[in-house]
Amino acid sequence: SRTGACGGPLAPSRLHGVPFVTAADHDTACAVSALLPLDVGDLFLCAGTWALLGCATAPPRFADPLRAGDWFRLGLPHGNWAVAKGAPGFWVLEECRKSCERRGSLQAIEELVAAAERSGCRAALDLSDPSLFAPTDMCEALAAACEQTGATRPGSPGDFARVIFDGMAAGFQREVEELSTATGVRFTRIRLVG
């Protein structure tokens, strides 16, 4: 049935007779639906544990260059479609916070953001590198990745947060450029939902 359509009543159960509304095909698609309508030139970024970056498209257009780059079609409400790609999100920061907690240096998110703003540590790591997917110690894995790229080794929780935020931003920038090249669209606005 069409997304957003009223359905029901539900089959016999404790909720028998309760009407329901069909949802988009994924919880992220439901979150992105809050941004509709998306105009040509609009990007969406759904940022959470993982991030999803994309743009609305007309069905069934799906540029061939995107097929090789892990992009996929995402069904949105009311017959709308998007092309999107998943990327590491804030789970990297949460894993780093777990490492800091084991070391006795856990900070609240607000404190980490403020410390990251003050940090002079700069490294635009590729957070989708397999070495960062399930390390025993995320801080140690990030520090090793910095050393491999010639970047300064982060020392404080704020340094690690800065490296993560810069890595996320660099990854999003690469994906925007890839999407723009493949679709021929120059993106002028990004709409964010979490």
Side-chain angles (χ1 to χ4, degrees):
S1 88
R2 186 177 169 112
T3 302
C6 289
L10 293 174
S13 73
R14 288 188 295 170
L15 300 175
H16 180 71
V18 175
F20 65 92
V21 176
T22 58
D25 67 352
H26 187 274
D27 62 340
T28 303
C30 291
V32 170
S33 70
L35 302 175
L36 295 176
L38 291 168
D39 298 322
V40 173
D42 286 354
L43 288 165
F44 64 80
L45 176 60
C46 185
T49 304
W50 282 88
L52 199 66
L53 179 90
C55 67
T57 61
R61 186 170 184 267
F62 190 64
D64 285 334
L66 294 174
R67 291 179 192 213
D70 296 327
W71 294 87
F72 58 91
R73 285 184 230 181
L74 182 67
L76 300 175
H78 311 295
N80 293 295
W81 288 89
V83 175
K85 184 176 189 176
F90 293 110
W91 71 270
V92 180
L93 184 65
E94 286 303 315
E95 290 300 309
C96 193
R97 288 183 75 229
K98 289 177 187 175
S99 296
C100 290
E101 184 176 27
R102 287 192 295 272
R103 293 182 173 97
S105 59
L106 179 65
Q107 290 182 313
I109 294 293
E110 298 81 10
E111 293 170 348
L112 273 178
V113 170
E117 289 174 349
R118 294 187 303 270
S119 173
C121 194
R122 299 288 187 267
L125 297 178
D126 180 359
L127 298 181
S128 63
D129 185 282
S131 68
L132 301 175
F133 280 179
T136 304
D137 184 311
M138 182 60 80
C139 289
E140 194 53 47
L142 288 166
C146 284
E147 288 177 351
Q148 288 177 345
T149 62
T152 303
R153 183 182 174 94
S156 69
D159 290 346
F160 284 105
R162 181 61 187 237
V163 166
I164 293 165
F165 296 148
D166 287 351
M168 289 173 68
F172 296 148
Q173 181 178 1
R174 282 189 304 271
E175 291 172 2
V176 168
E177 291 167 0
E178 184 179 337
L179 186 57
S180 182
T181 299
T183 61
V185 174
R186 183 176 175 273
F187 297 105
T188 57
R189 181 170 69 161
I190 186 161
R191 301 189 60 195
L192 180 65
V193 68

